[in-house]
Amino acid sequence: MTTDPSREARADRPDYTPFAHLTVPNADLYRLVMGAFLAAKERFAVHLRPEDVYAALPPQRRPVEADSVVKALDSLVEWGNLRADPDTARVTAVEDFYRKRFIYQLTRAGEAAEEALAGYDEALGRRGALQAVALHDIVTQLRALLVIAAEEEPDAAKAHLALSSLTGRFEALAENARAFMGSLQRTIDLHGVEVEAFLAYKDQLIRYLERFIQDLITLSGRIALLIRELEGQGQVHGLLRLAAVREAADAAPDMAESAEARAYVRWLARWSGLAAWFVSGDDRESQARLLRGRALGAIPQLLAVVRQLNERRAGRSDRSADFRTLARWFAEAPDDAARHRLWRTAFGLHPARHLTVDADTLAERATRPVLASTPWAESEPLRISPQLRRTGSYERRGKPRRVQDRSEERRLLEEIAAKQTTEITAARARLETPGVTRLSGLGELDPLAFRLFLQLLGDALATWRPGTTSTTATSNDGSMEIRLTALADGTTAEVHTPGGVFHGPDHIIEITDLTREVPMPKADAPPQEDR
């Protein structure tokens, strides 16, 4: 017995015939018929008869004859979208066995094809959004996980619900951010965008970006701190294990043994994705920081597009207008000779009269000028150097220059970088408060610490709104967090620096260094007794 190699090759390849109904005539009717089966599936109806399908079609798009639906059903069976079974339920006589009666149901391939098409339609219609509310929800769920982790015996149900809500909000945030930035770039490039609609929309878009960037700066550092605190306590894996155990309880009997391990791997991957989105590593930036930079860069790009459109409206010349004018000149030219002259004048396609121009060439051209219309065959030949013909260059090939040793410069740069890192670390340590204190209690600050303090204070005051009494902000690099609370006693704070004295209303202030490592609790430390 021999096997057909072509059949084996076809078996190895996936079968895409269930998508054939998209590229044939009457494709709209096939989509409507498949939509009727999907709607029946939502009602838990498995089989449909041709008259059921015909009745389920929209009246305004329903074909006149029911035979068209029967032919469409037979074609979908041939492509593998549907399966046809003999309809014996309504047989009442022997003659009925010889009549063509079938009931139809979706196949796995047909159902998978419709799910793929639904995902395709959804992706085309998705514009995405920058969900600032999701950032607040993530902070809330991380704080809830901290409370659950602090319990002696964490509740599996609470841990599973908190983790499910956390990962759900995070996945929606990440997916919508990717979709929004993609649509934003198409808006900047003016691909498929009406100019008038863009000009009316750009102010709202810029305010929307600024508001999200402000929330992202404020909350991303707080989220990163909560993630580090959870990982520092070493209880993340325990919470993930509880969620995996609870999720595996609903697994099918034949998959119960490996369900817990697979569920734990999925939860670990979700947590790793969440941490990588908000916490930067040694050799990579977090996705939140990349998103913030991309959103910040989109604002000047939008303004540049607006400026370009305004310049076009003001009547300034641009390339597209020049080409349209040139096309009109070509259309108005009286003959081909005029069109050729216009072509040479517009694009500079004049006859080439030289390869190089030197003093001797210029002197000879001055005494014996050559007209631009002189054909090459009738003009005098140009003498070029044999070395240029052979090597393509006048320069002599010789020993290459020695590579300059810049190790000393690199060492100096490394020393400068190390010194700056030490100074910045010292400035952060100087600004970090042991707890809540007054602004007037900061004391004297050196120039670097004072400059860092002004940046933090500016970030905090940028979030201040009328009626606000307390605010929290994070530095642009996510390394420092400041909590500022206004005082009603009218006192004034003074911060002394080598360059002068900084005056301002006194506030309650708390500054935290987010880059400082969270101390690990000692498991074997005995409880301290009250003395």
Side-chain angles (χ1 to χ4, degrees):
M1 181 179 179
T2 60
T3 58
D4 186 1
S6 62
R7 181 178 297 176
E8 294 181 356
R10 288 195 300 270
D12 294 337
R13 297 195 302 266
D15 185 11
Y16 296 121
T17 53
F19 293 96
H21 67 287
L22 301 175
T23 56
V24 296
N26 297 327
D28 293 338
L29 177 59
Y30 294 128
R31 292 301 305 275
L32 290 175
V33 170
M34 294 300 295
F37 278 90
L38 291 177
K41 176 189 170 186
E42 296 294 330
R43 302 191 303 270
F44 304 102
V46 179
H47 300 93
L48 289 180
R49 294 182 174 87
E51 56 269 24
D52 299 331
V53 177
Y54 185 79
L57 299 181
Q60 64 274 16
R61 303 180 65 183
R62 183 185 301 162
V64 178
E65 298 180 357
D67 291 341
S68 300
V69 175
V70 176
K71 293 178 181 179
L73 291 171
D74 293 338
S75 298
L76 290 170
V77 170
E78 183 180 353
W79 291 321
N81 300 78
L82 300 177
R83 192 184 79 183
D85 297 316
D87 186 7
T88 60
R90 294 183 296 176
V91 174
T92 59
V94 176
E95 292 79 6
D96 292 338
F97 280 102
Y98 297 99
R99 294 179 182 176
K100 185 180 178 182
R101 295 177 182 270
F102 291 103
I103 54 176
Y104 301 87
Q105 67 173 330
L106 278 172
T107 62
R108 292 182 59 186
E111 187 174 349
E114 291 304 312
E115 290 179 358
L117 292 174
Y120 177 78
D121 294 337
E122 181 183 357
L124 286 181
R126 182 189 303 140
R127 293 184 57 87
L130 298 176
Q131 298 173 315
V133 177
L135 295 171
H136 293 274
D137 294 343
I138 290 173
V139 171
T140 302
Q141 296 302 328
L142 286 173
R143 288 175 175 169
L145 286 175
L146 279 174
V147 175
I148 296 172
E151 298 176 356
E152 295 182 1
E153 295 183 2
D155 191 319
K158 293 181 180 179
H160 184 240
L161 290 175
L163 285 171
S164 298
S165 177
L166 173 65
T167 55
R169 295 298 284 161
F170 162 67
E171 291 171 358
L173 169 68
E175 181 63 28
N176 279 279
R178 285 191 292 267
F180 179 83
M181 296 311 295
S183 63
L184 176 62
Q185 186 60 51
R186 288 189 290 272
T187 302
I188 293 174
D189 297 336
L190 295 180
H191 289 169
V193 178
E194 296 292 338
V195 174
E196 297 297 335
F198 169 75
L199 292 176
Y201 174 61
K202 52 96 178 175
D203 290 333
Q204 301 178 7
L205 181 59
I206 291 176
R207 288 196 297 269
Y208 181 72
L209 286 172
E210 290 176 343
R211 185 170 65 252
F212 176 77
I213 291 169
Q214 174 183 326
D215 291 335
L216 187 62
I217 292 175
T218 304
L219 297 174
S220 59
R222 194 180 308 174
I223 293 174
L225 180 63
L226 291 171
I227 291 175
R228 289 195 188 100
E229 188 173 353
L230 272 170
E231 293 180 344
Q233 293 179 0
Q235 295 181 339
V236 172
H237 295 282
L239 295 175
L240 298 179
R241 182 71 65 183
L242 289 175
V245 170
R246 192 168 187 268
E247 191 172 288
D250 295 330
D254 56 341
M255 304 176 66
E257 295 183 0
S258 59
E260 181 179 341
R262 287 185 284 105
Y264 178 73
V265 171
R266 286 196 302 269
W267 279 111
L268 187 60
R270 293 170 184 170
W271 179 265
S272 300
L274 172 67
W277 219 86
F278 290 101
V279 181
S280 300
D282 296 333
D283 55 348
R284 61 162 183 80
E285 286 188 320
S286 65
Q287 290 295 111
R289 183 173 297 182
L290 293 175
L291 176 61
R292 183 175 61 195
R294 183 66 187 86
L296 283 171
I299 295 177
Q301 291 180 10
L302 285 170
L303 295 177
V305 172
V306 174
R307 183 168 60 252
Q308 181 182 2
L309 293 176
N310 290 333
E311 290 177 356
R312 291 182 184 178
R313 288 183 163 192
R316 296 187 182 182
S317 176
D318 59 3
R319 183 172 298 179
S320 60
D322 292 342
F323 278 120
R324 286 193 297 268
T325 303
L326 185 60
R328 186 173 65 254
W329 290 349
F330 272 107
E332 296 173 353
D335 50 23
D336 287 344
R339 296 186 185 94
H340 284 298
R341 288 195 302 272
L342 178 59
W343 177 272
R344 288 193 297 269
T345 303
F347 297 100
L349 299 179
H350 304 284
R353 300 188 300 271
H354 60 272
L355 295 180
T356 59
V357 177
D358 52 14
D360 297 336
T361 303
L362 292 176
E364 185 175 356
R365 293 288 168 83
T367 56
R368 300 174 59 186
V370 179
L371 297 178
S373 59
T374 303
W376 289 355
E378 299 176 5
S379 62
E380 295 184 2
L382 180 64
R383 311 296 180 183
I384 63 175
S385 170
Q387 180 181 355
L388 177 62
R389 185 189 299 274
R390 184 176 62 255
T391 64
S393 174
Y394 279 118
E395 298 181 358
R396 293 178 175 270
R397 296 185 180 275
K399 186 177 180 181
R401 296 181 180 180
R402 296 181 59 184
V403 179
Q404 187 174 358
D405 184 13
R406 299 188 182 276
S407 58
E408 182 65 23
E409 287 83 352
R410 285 198 297 268
R411 186 187 61 81
L412 291 176
L413 290 176
E414 291 175 356
E415 290 180 357
I416 293 173
K419 181 180 178 182
Q420 290 177 349
T421 302
T422 304
E423 292 176 350
I424 292 175
T425 303
R428 289 174 180 167
R430 171 64 183 84
L431 285 179
E432 186 176 17
T433 58
V436 177
T437 184
R438 281 178 172 262
L439 182 60
S440 56
L442 289 179
E444 186 173 355
L445 299 177
D446 58 82
L448 183 59
F450 181 65
R451 186 163 62 248
L452 181 59
F453 166 71
L454 288 181
Q455 293 175 359
L456 283 172
L457 189 60
D459 292 337
L461 295 179
T463 64
W464 205 274
R465 295 292 182 269
T468 303
T469 59
S470 181
T471 185
T472 302
T474 309
S475 60
N476 289 333
D477 58 357
S479 61
M480 303 288 290
E481 184 181 65
I482 179 172
R483 294 183 177 88
L484 199 64
T485 303
L487 294 176
D489 54 5
T491 57
T492 302
E494 293 185 356
V495 178
H496 294 269
T497 67
V501 181
F502 176 79
H503 298 271
D506 203 1
H507 287 73
I508 297 295
I509 189 172
E510 182 180 2
I511 301 176
T512 306
D513 186 1
L514 301 180
T515 61
R516 181 172 51 84
E517 294 292 337
V518 179
M520 295 290 292
K522 296 182 179 180
D524 55 350
Q528 297 182 0
E529 299 180 356
D530 297 335
R531 298 183 180 277

